[in-house]
Amino acid sequence: MKIVDRIFAFLFNFCLLFAVAVGAVFAIASSPAYYYEQFKKTGVYATVDENGVEKPKRIHYIGGSATQSATFTDEQLNEIIQHIIDYLFTDKESFALKMDNVQLNGRLKDDVNIFGEVAVVHMQDVKTLLQTLGTIALICGISAVGILAYFIVRAVKRQGGVLLKSTLIFYGSFVGIIGVFCLVTLIQLLSKGFEMEAYLTMLWRNFHFIIFSDPAKATGSFFDDTLTMILTLDLFMAAVVRVLLIIAVFVVGWCVVAYFLDRRVKRSN
């Protein structure tokens, strides 16, 4: 029976990890406050110089064109943020966006295409991916609750006692896989010389080959557009750190629960 318990323990931890990770991603990606915070940190919003003059950042590749650049007010950037969130998390059908009163190439213009065709297609892929992940995460969440109920019943009957050890093995393996991923990426980069920014960029690039089953979609995730100029690597790396911290909190909490469930079983033996 302990073999069955160990299998269920590994399944529970996988479901917990997946559900929490996707839930954290959804919570961050759907939060306007997160984008506001990161736009301030990364300098996408306008800055104020020593003379008190507001200086908006020039955003290049407007509409995916190398010949177009623009400055946006903070309010316009907030509109773009809301558009991104609405597209990803509502039934909005197209990612295409046109805006008026855009300071494009030094002249005020209306009906400006903010995103290029490549960005529109990429965001369709991202939306499909999020919908798929959301469905799987929901199934994992329900499964985790069911498996947890199983272990609680087992503990009440003074049976089991393998939860904590199985959990530590699972997350030890998970950390090991992340370590191998980081090491392989580092080896890829060392032939070109190490720079932290280049390393983070390559990590982010390689990660896309994991989350997208189609290599063409993974490769097509990197392009020059308004989208990539405002959603910077720093913004994504900050999100990754937050997701990992949220996962860590849940894992520690589960380890505490697993310890007490195992302890209840061992006290009866």
Side-chain angles (χ1 to χ4, degrees):
M1 197 65 184
K2 282 194 173 182
I3 294 177
V4 175
D5 285 343
R6 289 192 180 97
I7 292 172
F8 274 123
F10 279 104
L11 285 175
F12 173 82
N13 281 292
F14 174 81
C15 290
L16 177 68
L17 175 62
F18 196 95
V20 170
V22 173
V25 169
F26 276 41
I28 293 170
S30 63
S31 169
Y34 176 73
Y35 296 90
Y36 300 157
E37 175 190 339
Q38 293 303 314
F39 276 22
K40 289 179 183 178
K41 288 183 178 179
T42 58
V44 174
Y45 279 147
T47 56
V48 179
D49 65 16
E50 62 276 4
N51 298 316
V53 178
E54 189 175 77
K55 290 190 174 183
K57 179 178 180 178
R58 181 160 294 278
I59 307 296
H60 299 281
Y61 299 102
I62 303 300
S65 173
T67 62
Q68 295 192 136
S69 63
T71 56
F72 297 96
T73 65
D74 289 356
E75 290 74 19
Q76 287 175 321
L77 289 169
N78 290 346
E79 287 181 36
I80 295 173
I81 290 171
Q82 194 58 54
H83 173 76
I84 294 172
I85 293 173
D86 288 345
Y87 176 72
L88 291 177
F89 297 100
T90 70
D91 57 359
K92 183 184 283 288
E93 294 183 357
S94 175
F95 188 64
L97 175 65
K98 290 188 177 183
M99 294 182 70
D100 295 332
N101 298 317
V102 176
Q103 196 72 27
L104 184 70
N105 292 341
R107 306 178 83 176
L108 201 62
K109 290 192 175 183
D110 293 335
D111 206 32
V112 175
N113 282 311
I114 302 302
F115 303 115
E117 292 183 9
V118 175
V120 171
V121 171
H122 171 65
M123 290 301 281
Q124 288 175 349
D125 294 336
V126 171
K127 184 169 186 172
T128 300
L129 175 65
L130 288 177
Q131 290 172 339
T132 302
L133 291 177
T135 300
I136 298 173
L138 179 60
I139 294 171
C140 284
I142 295 171
S143 299
V145 171
I147 297 171
L148 179 59
Y150 164 81
F151 281 120
I152 291 174
V153 171
R154 293 277 289 161
V156 169
K157 293 181 178 179
R158 310 287 184 173
Q159 297 170 338
V162 300
L163 284 178
L164 184 58
K165 183 177 179 180
S166 298
T167 295
L168 294 176
I169 291 173
F170 177 87
Y171 287 105
S173 301
F174 175 67
V175 171
I177 292 171
I178 293 177
V180 170
F181 174 72
C182 293
L183 180 60
V184 170
T185 302
L186 178 61
I187 293 172
Q188 286 179 310
L189 184 65
L190 285 178
S191 61
K192 304 175 184 178
F194 180 80
E195 288 184 3
M196 181 55 70
E197 185 174 351
Y199 179 58
L200 293 176
T201 300
M202 188 168 286
L203 280 174
W204 187 240
R205 181 181 293 273
N206 287 347
F207 178 66
H208 279 68
F209 285 96
I210 296 175
I211 61 176
F212 287 107
S213 56
D214 185 350
K217 291 182 179 181
T219 303
S221 300
F222 297 89
F223 50 87
D224 293 320
D225 187 89
T226 309
L227 183 67
T228 56
M229 295 297 105
I230 62 175
L231 301 186
T232 63
L233 179 62
D234 288 341
L235 178 145
F236 286 114
M237 287 296 109
V240 169
V241 171
R242 292 194 184 194
V243 170
L244 291 175
L245 287 174
I246 292 170
I247 290 173
V249 169
F250 273 85
V251 169
V252 170
W254 164 241
C255 284
V256 172
V257 173
Y259 168 78
F260 282 107
L261 289 176
D262 283 352
R263 188 179 178 185
R264 177 181 175 82
V265 173
K266 291 175 181 178
R267 275 182 172 179
S268 65
N269 296 332

